[in-house]
Every structure is written in structure tokens, then in C-alpha cells.
Amino acid sequence: MAVHVIASSLMTSDLTAHRARSVGHGSWVVSYLPGRTLTCDQAVAALRVAEVVPTLLDLVSELADEVGLTALEAVGMAVRQSSWPEPPAPTRHRRTAAAHPVGVA
């Protein structure tokens, strides 16, 4: 994975077609994040996301296919759906000495 900065105005990567370009004053825009202005570090992070997502989706796609879902369906459901609530811990009833001894009323 390598993000390259070209002439301080364009960021590219050898693993994604997405790009970032400088819009001046230390601000950058990224091709897949229209309407957002980022710092240089944020733009690098965004390009790194674009580099790894296809690999992750390929893996998820294989697994999701086994359960009859698309990769995006599986990711969306795994993120959005809540898990089953934890069952309550079993309570142990401790036998305590009776207030009255057995056979005494």
C-alpha cells in the first residue's frame, strides 16, 4: 500500500483509482467523498480506506455467499443488527440457616 503525493497537489495510490487533490490552504478533497474537505492526513487515511476495502469485500463476499447474502447485505446486517441479549446469569440460591430449627415452630 502506498499513497503518493505528486507536486503537493495530487495524491494517488497504486492500489485504487481514487485520488485526492489539494484545494489550497492545506485542504484536500477525495474522489469518493464529494462535498467534504479534509486535512492532508485525513486525505491519506481516506485513500488507505479505498485501498483496503476491495480486499475486505472480496473476503466478505465469499463468506456472505455461503449464507445467501451479498457482501454489502452481510456487512450492513452485521453492523446494524443488534445481537441477542445476554441471558441473565444464573442465580445461586444459597441455603441459609432457617430462622427456626427444623421441627421447631
Side-chain angles (χ1 to χ4, degrees):
M1 292 188 281
V3 173
H4 308 281
V5 179
I6 303 169
S8 299
S9 62
L10 180 68
M11 288 185 204
T12 64
S13 167
D14 50 355
L15 298 177
T16 182
H18 288 292
R19 306 278 188 262
R21 66 179 169 83
S22 173
V23 292
H25 306 290
S27 298
W28 293 78
V29 293
V30 177
S31 58
Y32 74 92
L33 298 172
R36 292 184 184 223
T37 304
L38 307 174
T39 66
C40 182
D41 288 343
Q42 290 172 323
V44 169
L47 288 180
R48 293 188 69 204
V49 166
E51 290 177 334
V52 299
V53 165
T55 303
L56 291 175
L57 281 178
D58 287 344
L59 174 60
V60 170
S61 181
E62 290 176 24
L63 298 170
D65 190 49
E66 291 184 32
V67 293
L69 298 171
T70 68
L72 293 178
E73 287 171 330
V75 168
M77 293 171 126
V79 170
R80 187 178 63 238
Q81 300 296 326
S82 60
S83 64
W84 293 332
E86 289 292 321
T91 56
R92 292 185 176 199
H93 295 287
R94 182 183 268 182
R95 188 166 219 160
T96 58
H100 300 289
V102 177
V104 177

